[in-house]
Amino acid sequence: MTSNTTIPHKKTRRAAAHDYTRPGLYHITMHVAESLGQPLGTVAGSLEAPDGSADAPHTALSTVGQMVEHELLTAIHSHYPMVAIQDYVIMPEHLHFLMVVTDRLVSKNGTLQTLGHVLSGFKKGCNKRYWEMTGDSSDGQTVAHTEPSVEGSVPSGLPAMYKVPSWGTTGRQPLFAPGYCDVMPVDTAQLATQRAYIKGNPRSRLLRMSNRAQLTVQHGAIMTALTPAALDGYLQRECPPSAATAEALAAIQCRLLTAASSVPSGFLAGKVFITCDTFGKRALLTEHRCLPVVCHRKDAARFSEQKQRCLEEAAHGAVLVGTRIAPKEREIMDDAVNHGFPVITLHDNGFADRYHPSADRLGLCAEGRLLIVSPWKYQYRGKNEQITVLFCKAMNCVAQALCRTRDDWWK
């Protein structure tokens, strides 16, 4: 159990039971080909400027980015009148947009199409324009650039900051990476969240750029004093045999991030411990007294007492550590944040390659009031997948290990 290899982020999420030819509302995400870097523009503006002002964070689009914007806003609707683009943002290497489909997806010749066909046509149109802009406009063999064919050379008509590699005569590099991700908001609250996320992308990027060390995922940043074997024993003691089956325990073990101790000799030499990836201010864990927030059913009658003790300790400088899964635990952690106290939350999944916390969480991390911690490898989960009691108990155990304090400290 010493591998920290994460399960790749799934970039082509689909709802298996959904008919993608029917009307609907979709939040679409597309990425450019990784080898192209950031060809669509650069993030500019000031974090101090309010949204809507001229200097608010935004993407200064390159000529390629301007082309993509034009195709997005005109080409799709011209081929599919039943499709409209609402909120959108074009970032240097990806774009998000809300697509509204008001009727069955039918092409001009009357053929029933899927959402994938529509988006594939958009990509093909962008690729064609992109190849024309980069001097690669042939339908067959690649046309040589007017500039010297050198890796990273700048085709005529593009600013030097938007370098495009030459692909010789073996084939043409498409602008977009394969696939796309779609999310279907199911109510007005989720739609508002998706719109806020799209709108906030440039500000979030600028915020990250201003504090890269604190606002990027740090892998293996924390080594706990908890071994996988000790966690296994804890779960067998805390959970009934029907939950702590050999198969369920093995699944927990496979998800854990672990590493061997760096101690060269003695009892700890080579011993494997559970580690955690982090996002935010690590000093909250290493430079403060930390207390776990775990609410047990047996203590439900004493919840007011537990909450009061937690907030009192937070007011005196302690940092509360919790999962925010159980409603009572979430209430205590949220009240601490509302009082202005710093907190540490355990993330119930690993950090994906492109981890984006909500705007509120990102702001708290930037202010040094939040550290997000995860002992798990990333694994894509469908929205209907439930977290098991065994998994929750494992997270509670990790929280106690991070604090080096039992969860009944408040009694």
Side-chain angles (χ1 to χ4, degrees):
M1 296 297 164
T2 59
S3 172
N4 287 357
T5 303
T6 59
I7 299 172
H9 181 68
K10 192 174 181 63
K11 301 177 184 176
T12 55
R13 300 176 185 174
R14 300 290 172 271
H18 182 69
D19 182 354
Y20 281 90
T21 68
R22 292 185 175 276
L25 176 64
Y26 306 90
H27 174 186
I28 304 297
T29 302
M30 290 183 179
H31 291 270
V32 302
E34 188 173 353
S35 60
L36 297 182
Q38 300 184 345
L40 305 182
T42 57
V43 175
S46 170
L47 289 171
E48 287 69 39
D51 290 337
S53 65
D55 200 33
H58 63 281
T59 304
L61 296 178
S62 67
T63 51
V64 176
Q66 292 169 12
M67 174 274 292
V68 169
E69 181 180 47
H70 181 268
E71 291 291 305
L72 177 67
L73 299 181
T74 62
I76 295 179
H77 184 69
S78 68
H79 287 86
Y80 298 92
M82 71 291 297
V83 175
I85 304 301
Q86 292 188 348
D87 307 56
Y88 73 95
V89 65
I90 297 176
M91 297 297 288
E93 72 296 296
H94 71 278
L95 63 153
H96 300 278
F97 54 94
L98 282 177
M99 172 183 282
V100 181
V101 181
T102 59
D103 202 347
R104 294 297 293 264
L105 284 168
V106 179
S107 65
K108 289 183 177 180
N109 65 8
T111 304
L112 189 65
Q113 304 283 21
T114 65
L115 180 69
H117 285 105
V118 176
L119 297 178
S120 177
F122 165 69
K123 284 186 176 183
K124 289 178 180 178
C126 288
N127 284 338
K128 181 178 180 181
R129 303 290 180 266
Y130 174 69
W131 291 328
E132 290 171 352
M133 296 170 70
T134 56
D136 190 4
S137 58
S138 70
D139 292 329
Q141 290 292 315
T142 299
V143 175
H145 295 312
T146 54
E147 301 291 331
S149 182
V150 179
E151 183 78 12
S153 62
V154 185
S156 176
L158 287 181
M161 62 190 297
Y162 307 117
K163 295 184 177 181
V164 181
S166 169
W167 288 82
T169 59
T170 59
R172 296 183 294 184
Q173 166 66 54
L175 177 60
F176 286 103
Y180 63 91
C181 177
D182 72 87
V183 176
M184 291 175 282
V186 297
D187 55 37
T188 54
Q190 288 189 16
L191 178 58
T193 298
Q194 297 298 321
R195 283 183 164 144
Y197 175 79
I198 291 172
K199 180 181 179 181
N201 252 241
R203 186 174 292 276
S204 295
R205 175 67 63 88
L206 204 59
L207 191 60
R208 290 169 182 265
M209 292 167 60
S210 68
N211 192 347
R212 291 184 183 277
Q214 191 160 296
L215 300 179
T216 55
V217 175
Q218 304 294 318
H219 294 288
I222 302 296
M223 177 173 284
T224 72
L226 180 67
T227 66
L231 174 62
D232 201 74
Y234 173 87
L235 294 176
Q236 292 185 61
R237 291 191 302 273
E238 291 290 317
C239 300
S242 59
T245 64
E247 183 180 7
L249 291 169
I252 292 287
Q253 295 288 327
C254 288
R255 290 282 316 278
L256 289 170
L257 297 172
T258 59
S261 168
S262 59
V263 176
S265 60
F267 173 73
L268 297 179
K271 201 167 186 178
V272 174
F273 292 94
I274 296 170
T275 65
C276 293
D277 294 342
T278 65
F279 186 99
K281 187 177 181 180
R282 278 178 290 166
L284 292 181
L285 183 63
T286 59
E287 298 178 7
H288 296 265
R289 179 183 177 223
C290 295
L291 297 172
V293 177
V294 180
C295 296
H296 294 286
R297 289 183 180 178
K298 64 182 180 181
D299 297 321
R302 300 180 64 182
F303 173 70
S304 295
E305 177 189 350
Q306 181 181 6
K307 179 179 176 179
Q308 181 179 350
R309 286 281 289 121
C310 287
L311 295 179
E312 286 175 351
E313 292 297 330
H316 287 88
V319 176
L320 302 182
V321 181
T323 64
R324 295 189 74 258
I325 295 177
K328 296 298 184 183
E329 295 167 359
R330 187 161 55 247
E331 180 178 331
I332 293 174
M333 297 292 286
D334 288 349
D335 274 11
V337 170
N338 293 336
H339 280 82
F341 305 140
V343 298
I344 298 172
T345 63
L346 269 73
H347 188 39
D348 61 7
N349 199 350
F351 296 113
D353 294 339
R354 297 182 176 93
Y355 176 66
H356 297 291
S358 66
D360 290 344
R361 284 192 160 198
L362 185 64
L364 290 172
C365 289
E367 295 169 12
R369 295 172 52 201
L370 173 64
L371 175 67
I372 306 173
V373 176
S374 176
W376 310 109
K377 302 170 187 175
Y378 175 78
Q379 178 174 298
Y380 173 68
R381 290 201 306 254
K383 61 183 178 182
N384 294 325
E385 292 184 45
Q386 300 295 317
I387 297 175
T388 65
V389 172
L390 194 71
F391 190 84
C392 293
K393 291 286 188 181
M395 292 184 67
N396 289 339
C397 184
V398 172
Q400 294 175 79
L402 289 170
C403 298
R404 299 176 185 269
T405 304
R406 288 170 53 94
D407 59 21
D408 60 355
W409 61 268
W410 58 274
K411 292 182 179 181

